[in-house]
Amino acid sequence: KIAQAGISGMGGAGFPSHIKLNTAASIKYLIINAAECEPYITADDLLIREQCAAILDGIKILDHILNPAFILIGIEENKPEAIKALKNATKAIDKIKVCVLPVIYPTGGEKQLIQVLTGKEVPSGTLPSALGIVMHNIGTCFAIADAVINDIPLIKRVVTVTGKSVAKPQNVWALLGTPVQFLLQQSGCHQGNKKHIIMGG
């Protein structure tokens, strides 16, 4: 179902999720990346606050597939409402630990977060699964739950639209294929002589 739904890593890398899950390796750590990948982006923060139950369903599905010894959720300390939501949702599940991290760029990167949480360094050219680690993003967990439970393929994602030219900075559910210009118009963007639109990093 995850493969058929077209789910790929929602943290930015876009790696097909079913390949990460189809590993023969014994997994010690399933790491859930709840740290935003870039400054200004708040998509994961809002998704956790508003869809924590669905995200937990996604984590449970990943747990069922991979059967890791430990599940670590890495989240930066500047997201107090999201931290509270995750701790409340997971307090009855012993194998899940919410790990609150200092805000240091680029903690949201896969290799960086693995090193912070486990002390292990992923060698260049090596997949984390070789070290018994699999990482998935918060948005990916939500998409997996939507696919497995609701039969909804990956057709949308949360997008942060922000910047000094934006009258209404906000997070929006955007269908894949939505023109950036449309999102800017909805957010009251008045570019004037500002010509740069930064997407992602």
Side-chain angles (χ1 to χ4, degrees), residues 95-117:
K95 77 189 298 188
I96 300 179
K97 185 169 192 283
V98 178
C99 306
V100 180
L101 309 168
V103 183
I104 303 171
Y105 183 82
T107 301
E110 182 175 69
K111 290 184 177 183
Q112 290 85 351
L113 189 56
I114 287 171
Q115 189 159 22
V116 168
L117 292 177

Side-chain angles (χ1 to χ4, degrees), residues 127-198:
L127 291 175
S129 57
L131 302 178
I133 300 167
V134 170
M135 180 182 291
H136 284 282
N137 171 267
I138 280 289
T140 310
C141 295
F142 177 85
I144 285 171
D146 227 12
V148 174
I149 296 167
N150 302 321
D151 284 322
I152 298 173
L154 182 60
I155 57 171
K156 64 181 180 181
R157 69 158 298 133
V158 182
V159 177
T160 303
V161 185
T162 190
K164 292 178 181 175
S165 302
V166 177
K168 295 179 289 183
Q170 59 190 297
N171 286 281
V172 297
W173 279 113
L175 292 172
L176 301 190
T178 302
V180 171
Q181 185 63 41
F182 178 79
L183 297 180
L184 294 174
Q185 288 166 356
Q186 299 303 306
S187 303
C189 180
H190 305 290
Q191 284 178 271
N193 62 356
K194 296 183 177 71
K195 296 183 175 67
H196 292 92
I197 296 170
I198 300 171

Side-chain angles (χ1 to χ4, degrees), residues 38-55:
E38 295 289 338
Y40 294 103
I41 296 174
T42 53
D44 288 346
D45 185 6
L46 265 288
L47 189 62
I48 294 165
R49 288 196 238 168
E50 296 187 3
Q51 301 288 341
C52 200
I55 290 165

